[in-house]
Amino acid sequence: MSNKIAALARANVRALTPYQSARRLGGNGDVWLNANEYPLAVPFDLRQQTLNRYPECQPKQVIERYAAYAGVTTDQLLVCRGADEGIELLIRAFCEPGKDAVLFCPPTYGMYHVSAETFGVEHRTVAARDNWQLNLPAIAAQLDGVKVVYVCSPNNPTGNVINPDDIRQLLEMTRGKALVVADEAYIEFCPQATLSSWLQDYPQLVILRTLSKAFALAGLRCGFTLANAEVIELLMKVIAPYPLSTPVADIAAQALSEQGLVLMREHTRQLIANREKLIADLRECGCVEQVYNSDTNYVLARFTNSSLVFKNLWDQGIILRDQNTQPGLSGCLRISIGTREECDRVIAALQALAGASVSREQA
Ligand SMILES: *Cc1c(COP(=O)(O)O)cnc(C)c1O
């Protein structure tokens, strides 16, 4: 019976491995450092009570506030159900299944692959160079038939900003051929790196943003797409009629108020301070081979025995994100920046582990 139902599904859906989100992977932790969330809940009020009515498709106050925050006009902006929906809308509007392709540069965020696969759109990969910057000649050689190029900057999980001169070259070589989508999910941790002022020069540039990371609202499911009006109009054709519920718009507007922005910037400063201390402490740990610099709210580190570290900390309720199977990231774990106490718990656990292996060697 169930076999027959599965046979009815599209072949690419049958073959699909769904995105292994931190929530799906589970775990029984009290220190959650695997989804790049803000570590503490920020309180909001539910002010709009008109739940008998359908919500606005593009809630005016949210759009106006985010446009002001991001320095774009309201017709250059779309709000939807997280940056993940933005990734998907672009494929829906621009890629013909079985004909067009998307391109991205691993190691990077996993949803570009999953979204392309879901829609039966070819995904082409060009590995990042050793310093995790774009390999432009290799990208140029692969652009035939590509409609969307995803560039995650700063990149998840490596934490580095992509060289703006390289993105400019990419924009030059894709003019009139393909969209270049800069995923700026972590841009609040390095606001000077945003490409938003380039929208006027490049009609095919798209920028993805979210309230899930620095704004501490991963549970809200609210993100933004910044692009020229022509692109936004096309995305508006394929978006659901009511992408945001009334409570989501209500809370998003509060998060984007003057007071909300002040709070977000305070939180960001604190996390950056915690990050720099965590990086310094990690570099003193015996079991750590390399710690990469980060412009985000997470740190990538290479361990001498990453699976042992991952499991040992998991068993103590400290949940990290294993990146070991991503290309170029063998032995790497990603650690989200939590509270100072949570960062210190990680370090204490690593020191205990290093101490244990030293005493085993001595025994
Ligand atoms: C977290 C993340 C997203 C998804 O953001 P949502 O708004 O929660 O859907 C998109 N891109 C990158 C690079 C991310 O890390």
Side-chain angles (χ1 to χ4, degrees):
M1 173 77 179
S2 62
N3 277 345
K4 282 189 191 148
I5 294 297
L8 294 176
R10 287 159 58 211
N12 59 311
V13 172
R14 267 183 274 137
L16 187 67
T17 308
Y19 182 68
Q20 296 296 304
S21 70
R23 282 295 163 277
R24 274 194 191 186
L25 290 169
N28 235 333
D30 57 348
V31 179
W32 290 96
L33 303 178
N34 66 344
N36 299 342
E37 298 150 329
Y38 187 74
L40 302 169
V42 178
F44 291 95
D45 305 322
L46 274 182
R47 295 175 184 165
Q48 294 192 35
Q49 303 293 330
T50 53
L51 296 180
N52 57 315
R53 300 292 175 195
Y54 281 110
E56 290 173 276
C57 176
Q58 293 290 291
K60 193 164 176 285
Q61 193 173 44
V62 174
I63 290 285
E64 284 174 353
R65 287 184 177 180
Y66 201 88
Y69 162 70
V72 298
T73 55
T74 54
D75 65 349
Q76 292 176 317
L77 190 59
L78 180 111
V79 60
C80 61
R81 189 171 26 79
D84 281 348
E85 190 178 28
I87 292 169
E88 190 185 295
L89 290 175
L90 288 158
I91 294 180
R92 266 160 55 185
F94 288 89
C95 297
E96 199 79 65
K99 178 164 168 271
D100 300 328
V102 304
L103 187 151
F104 49 88
C105 301
T108 192
Y109 185 54
M111 279 306 290
Y112 315 134
H113 172 115
V114 171
S115 282
E117 197 112 298
T118 305
F119 288 100
V121 166
E122 183 199 342
H123 50 88
R124 232 172 263 171
T125 57
V126 174
R129 295 192 284 131
D130 287 346
N131 58 358
W132 291 321
Q133 293 295 332
L134 302 179
N135 184 341
L136 285 171
I139 292 174
Q142 292 288 321
L143 275 181
D144 232 21
V146 169
K147 285 288 192 65
V148 180
V149 180
Y150 293 101
V151 178
C152 189
S153 181
N155 187 42
N156 178 3
T158 55
N160 59 295
V161 169
I162 303 300
N163 196 339
D165 291 337
D166 290 352
I167 299 183
R168 211 178 262 287
Q169 283 193 50
L170 180 64
L171 284 160
E172 293 299 340
M173 70 172 84
T174 52
R175 244 186 222 285
K177 293 186 198 145
L179 298 182
V180 172
V181 181
D183 186 340
E184 295 189 342
Y186 300 94
I187 203 66
E188 284 78 15
F189 298 96
C190 50
Q192 72 292 345
T194 181
L195 302 181
S196 58
S197 68
W198 293 14
L199 285 172
Q200 58 195 51
D201 302 326
Y202 297 102
Q204 87 277 30
L205 174 62
V206 179
I207 297 168
L208 299 176
R209 299 282 190 84
T210 179
L211 298 187
S212 296
K213 309 290 164 51
F215 282 91
L217 286 170
L220 190 65
R221 310 308 302 130
C222 184
F224 297 86
T225 302
L226 286 57
N228 284 292
E230 219 182 331
V231 174
I232 298 294
E233 275 168 34
L234 286 161
L235 298 179
M236 283 298 292
K237 287 186 165 186
V238 298
I239 200 169
Y242 308 106
L244 297 194
S245 71
T246 301
V248 169
D250 184 4
I251 291 169
Q254 293 170 50
L256 295 167
S257 67
E258 243 171 79
Q259 196 191 341
L261 292 178
V262 167
L263 195 63
M264 178 277 285
R265 290 188 176 112
E266 243 170 63
H267 290 162
T268 305
R269 264 194 300 279
Q270 182 63 54
L271 284 190
I272 289 173
N274 293 356
R275 178 187 76 205
E276 293 310 302
K277 175 156 194 305
L278 180 71
I279 289 177
D281 290 347
L282 283 170
R283 287 186 172 142
E284 298 296 312
C285 286
C287 54
V288 178
E289 264 176 24
Q290 195 170 5
V291 186
Y292 297 97
N293 290 327
S294 169
D295 279 306
T296 64
N297 67 337
Y298 52 87
V299 167
L300 186 75
R302 202 181 291 273
F303 292 81
T304 47
N305 187 344
S306 67
S307 48
L308 176 79
V309 169
F310 182 81
K311 177 155 191 329
N312 184 280
L313 269 61
W314 174 286
D315 290 342
Q316 297 178 56
I318 305 172
I319 314 297
L320 310 182
R321 186 79 160 169
D322 194 353
Q323 299 289 342
N324 183 53
T325 57
Q326 280 236 50
L329 299 188
S330 64
C332 288
L333 303 177
R334 192 192 68 193
I335 309 171
S336 304
I337 306 302
T339 62
R340 183 57 67 89
E341 293 68 36
E342 289 173 326
C343 294
D344 289 346
R345 287 260 314 261
V346 171
I347 296 299
L350 292 176
Q351 283 168 344
L353 201 64
S357 65
V358 167
S359 50
R360 251 201 320 276
E361 276 160 29
Q362 284 167 346

PDB file of all heavy atoms in Angstrom, residues 296-307:
ATOM      1  N   THR A 296      30.733  36.142  11.797  1.00  0.00           N
ATOM      2  CA  THR A 296      29.351  35.698  12.009  1.00  0.00           C
ATOM      3  C   THR A 296      29.098  35.390  13.484  1.00  0.00           C
ATOM      4  O   THR A 296      29.897  35.765  14.350  1.00  0.00           O
ATOM      5  CB  THR A 296      29.102  34.425  11.191  1.00  0.00           C
ATOM      6  OG1 THR A 296      29.954  33.399  11.718  1.00  0.00           O
ATOM      7  CG2 THR A 296      29.418  34.623   9.719  1.00  0.00           C
ATOM      8  N   ASN A 297      28.019  34.680  13.764  1.00  0.00           N
ATOM      9  CA  ASN A 297      27.752  34.235  15.139  1.00  0.00           C
ATOM     10  C   ASN A 297      28.059  32.742  15.308  1.00  0.00           C
ATOM     11  O   ASN A 297      27.389  32.047  16.055  1.00  0.00           O
ATOM     12  CB  ASN A 297      26.298  34.529  15.526  1.00  0.00           C
ATOM     13  CG  ASN A 297      25.306  33.697  14.733  1.00  0.00           C
ATOM     14  OD1 ASN A 297      25.632  33.230  13.634  1.00  0.00           O
ATOM     15  ND2 ASN A 297      24.107  33.513  15.259  1.00  0.00           N
ATOM     16  N   TYR A 298      29.044  32.252  14.575  1.00  0.00           N
ATOM     17  CA  TYR A 298      29.505  30.871  14.745  1.00  0.00           C
ATOM     18  C   TYR A 298      30.985  30.816  14.403  1.00  0.00           C
ATOM     19  O   TYR A 298      31.536  31.742  13.804  1.00  0.00           O
ATOM     20  CB  TYR A 298      28.720  29.893  13.856  1.00  0.00           C
ATOM     21  CG  TYR A 298      28.664  30.304  12.404  1.00  0.00           C
ATOM     22  CD1 TYR A 298      29.669  29.938  11.504  1.00  0.00           C
ATOM     23  CD2 TYR A 298      27.630  31.099  11.925  1.00  0.00           C
ATOM     24  CE1 TYR A 298      29.625  30.339  10.177  1.00  0.00           C
ATOM     25  CE2 TYR A 298      27.583  31.498  10.598  1.00  0.00           C
ATOM     26  CZ  TYR A 298      28.589  31.119   9.733  1.00  0.00           C
ATOM     27  OH  TYR A 298      28.564  31.518   8.425  1.00  0.00           O
ATOM     28  N   VAL A 299      31.602  29.718  14.826  1.00  0.00           N
ATOM     29  CA  VAL A 299      33.028  29.530  14.579  1.00  0.00           C
ATOM     30  C   VAL A 299      33.218  28.125  14.045  1.00  0.00           C
ATOM     31  O   VAL A 299      32.599  27.182  14.540  1.00  0.00           O
ATOM     32  CB  VAL A 299      33.816  29.714  15.899  1.00  0.00           C
ATOM     33  CG1 VAL A 299      35.237  29.221  15.755  1.00  0.00           C
ATOM     34  CG2 VAL A 299      33.789  31.161  16.338  1.00  0.00           C
ATOM     35  N   LEU A 300      34.060  27.991  13.040  1.00  0.00           N
ATOM     36  CA  LEU A 300      34.404  26.680  12.503  1.00  0.00           C
ATOM     37  C   LEU A 300      35.794  26.308  13.017  1.00  0.00           C
ATOM     38  O   LEU A 300      36.712  27.132  12.971  1.00  0.00           O
ATOM     39  CB  LEU A 300      34.413  26.730  10.976  1.00  0.00           C
ATOM     40  CG  LEU A 300      34.617  25.375  10.288  1.00  0.00           C
ATOM     41  CD1 LEU A 300      33.339  24.536  10.356  1.00  0.00           C
ATOM     42  CD2 LEU A 300      35.038  25.558   8.834  1.00  0.00           C
ATOM     43  N   ALA A 301      35.922  25.085  13.506  1.00  0.00           N
ATOM     44  CA  ALA A 301      37.224  24.639  14.009  1.00  0.00           C
ATOM     45  C   ALA A 301      37.494  23.214  13.549  1.00  0.00           C
ATOM     46  O   ALA A 301      36.563  22.416  13.375  1.00  0.00           O
ATOM     47  CB  ALA A 301      37.265  24.713  15.534  1.00  0.00           C
ATOM     48  N   ARG A 302      38.779  22.928  13.322  1.00  0.00           N
ATOM     49  CA  ARG A 302      39.196  21.584  12.925  1.00  0.00           C
ATOM     50  C   ARG A 302      39.819  20.902  14.139  1.00  0.00           C
ATOM     51  O   ARG A 302      40.665  21.481  14.815  1.00  0.00           O
ATOM     52  CB  ARG A 302      40.210  21.675  11.783  1.00  0.00           C
ATOM     53  CG  ARG A 302      40.321  20.409  10.954  1.00  0.00           C
ATOM     54  CD  ARG A 302      41.362  20.558   9.852  1.00  0.00           C
ATOM     55  NE  ARG A 302      40.985  21.488   8.794  1.00  0.00           N
ATOM     56  CZ  ARG A 302      40.264  21.155   7.710  1.00  0.00           C
ATOM     57  NH1 ARG A 302      39.870  19.919   7.536  1.00  0.00           N
ATOM     58  NH2 ARG A 302      39.975  22.061   6.803  1.00  0.00           N
ATOM     59  N   PHE A 303      39.375  19.680  14.402  1.00  0.00           N
ATOM     60  CA  PHE A 303      39.809  18.956  15.598  1.00  0.00           C
ATOM     61  C   PHE A 303      40.649  17.740  15.208  1.00  0.00           C
ATOM     62  O   PHE A 303      40.497  17.191  14.112  1.00  0.00           O
ATOM     63  CB  PHE A 303      38.582  18.488  16.397  1.00  0.00           C
ATOM     64  CG  PHE A 303      37.806  19.617  17.014  1.00  0.00           C
ATOM     65  CD1 PHE A 303      36.888  20.347  16.257  1.00  0.00           C
ATOM     66  CD2 PHE A 303      37.998  19.981  18.340  1.00  0.00           C
ATOM     67  CE1 PHE A 303      36.174  21.402  16.818  1.00  0.00           C
ATOM     68  CE2 PHE A 303      37.298  21.035  18.904  1.00  0.00           C
ATOM     69  CZ  PHE A 303      36.384  21.751  18.143  1.00  0.00           C
ATOM     70  N   THR A 304      41.511  17.303  16.120  1.00  0.00           N
ATOM     71  CA  THR A 304      42.315  16.111  15.851  1.00  0.00           C
ATOM     72  C   THR A 304      41.417  14.877  15.781  1.00  0.00           C
ATOM     73  O   THR A 304      41.690  13.963  15.007  1.00  0.00           O
ATOM     74  CB  THR A 304      43.393  15.905  16.938  1.00  0.00           C
ATOM     75  OG1 THR A 304      42.770  16.061  18.224  1.00  0.00           O
ATOM     76  CG2 THR A 304      44.503  16.921  16.803  1.00  0.00           C
ATOM     77  N   ASN A 305      40.323  14.872  16.571  1.00  0.00           N
ATOM     78  CA  ASN A 305      39.383  13.752  16.508  1.00  0.00           C
ATOM     79  C   ASN A 305      37.968  14.309  16.655  1.00  0.00           C
ATOM     80  O   ASN A 305      37.386  14.279  17.732  1.00  0.00           O
ATOM     81  CB  ASN A 305      39.715  12.738  17.611  1.00  0.00           C
ATOM     82  CG  ASN A 305      38.878  11.477  17.490  1.00  0.00           C
ATOM     83  OD1 ASN A 305      37.861  11.461  16.785  1.00  0.00           O
ATOM     84  ND2 ASN A 305      39.291  10.431  18.167  1.00  0.00           N
ATOM     85  N   SER A 306      37.430  14.810  15.547  1.00  0.00           N
ATOM     86  CA  SER A 306      36.171  15.561  15.645  1.00  0.00           C
ATOM     87  C   SER A 306      34.999  14.681  16.042  1.00  0.00           C
ATOM     88  O   SER A 306      34.096  15.132  16.749  1.00  0.00           O
ATOM     89  CB  SER A 306      35.878  16.278  14.329  1.00  0.00           C
ATOM     90  OG  SER A 306      35.613  15.355  13.302  1.00  0.00           O
ATOM     91  N   SER A 307      34.980  13.405  15.615  1.00  0.00           N
ATOM     92  CA  SER A 307      33.818  12.584  15.966  1.00  0.00           C
ATOM     93  C   SER A 307      33.801  12.280  17.461  1.00  0.00           C
ATOM     94  O   SER A 307      32.738  12.251  18.090  1.00  0.00           O
ATOM     95  CB  SER A 307      33.754  11.302  15.126  1.00  0.00           C
ATOM     96  OG  SER A 307      34.989  10.665  15.116  1.00  0.00           O
TER      97      SER A 307
END
